[in-house]
Amino acid sequence: MMDYWDTDVYRYYSDPSYARPRKIVDNLKLDWLDVSGRYYSPEVVFFTKADIQELSGWSEDEVRLLFFDRRFPSCNFGRKEVVEIHALISFFAKKERVLRRQELYWEQFDHERIAQLQKLNCDY
């Protein structure tokens, strides 16, 4: 089974129909929610698409793409797609960790490559 977290759409070619929605979801931030207060709360709170759109100020298309993303921990409750608040917070935390890990990996690689190219230029 494919791990959707490890797909780097920023450095490798990806089909635009896959990469565009992924980049939109990766740019979403959870700055509209009191994360620290809600994460440690024992309450089980579910958000629907409409709830997230209303609270966050994101467009309907952004919220739709978020729920469509295979990494996102949504589920069907009746006929509505919902996400539990702790799973929502964990999703955004993991998304930031994965993006940062990919960024650090490529920074290291780029620095090594630049050093190699500089060494080659000095040899001439």
Side-chain angles (χ1 to χ4, degrees):
M1 185 171 155
M2 181 177 174
D3 185 6
Y4 295 100
W5 285 101
D6 290 333
T7 305
D8 188 350
V9 296
Y10 299 95
R11 300 289 179 170
Y12 298 109
Y13 173 76
S14 297
D15 184 20
S17 65
Y18 176 75
R20 181 188 157 278
R22 176 78 178 260
K23 290 176 182 179
I24 290 172
V25 169
D26 285 348
N27 287 326
L28 297 176
K29 303 290 181 209
L30 197 60
D31 53 3
W32 51 269
L33 182 67
D34 176 25
V35 173
S36 59
R38 295 294 218 154
Y39 189 75
Y40 294 108
S41 170
E43 294 180 348
V44 177
V45 178
F46 290 98
F47 288 136
T48 63
K49 289 180 181 179
D51 295 336
I52 290 179
Q53 185 177 350
E54 180 182 324
L55 293 170
S56 67
W58 297 334
S59 71
E60 184 179 345
D61 188 44
E62 290 171 330
V63 174
R64 184 181 54 78
L65 290 174
L66 178 66
F67 275 81
F68 186 69
D69 193 323
R70 291 182 182 234
R71 303 171 298 166
F72 191 67
S74 66
C75 63
N76 290 328
F77 186 73
R79 292 188 176 190
K80 290 187 177 183
E81 287 184 287
V82 296
V83 62
E84 200 271 330
I85 192 166
H86 295 98
L88 176 73
I89 294 168
S90 296
F91 168 78
F92 278 94
K94 184 171 183 176
K95 177 183 69 78
E96 292 300 321
R97 279 194 319 267
V98 168
L99 290 175
R100 183 66 182 144
R101 185 185 72 219
Q102 289 173 353
E103 183 181 309
L104 289 173
Y105 172 78
W106 286 107
E107 279 182 10
Q108 172 195 6
F109 179 76
D110 292 341
H111 290 306
E112 289 176 5
R113 182 72 177 142
I114 290 169
Q116 290 173 352
L117 291 173
Q118 287 175 341
K119 185 175 184 236
L120 288 174
N121 286 338
C122 293
D123 291 341
Y124 289 112

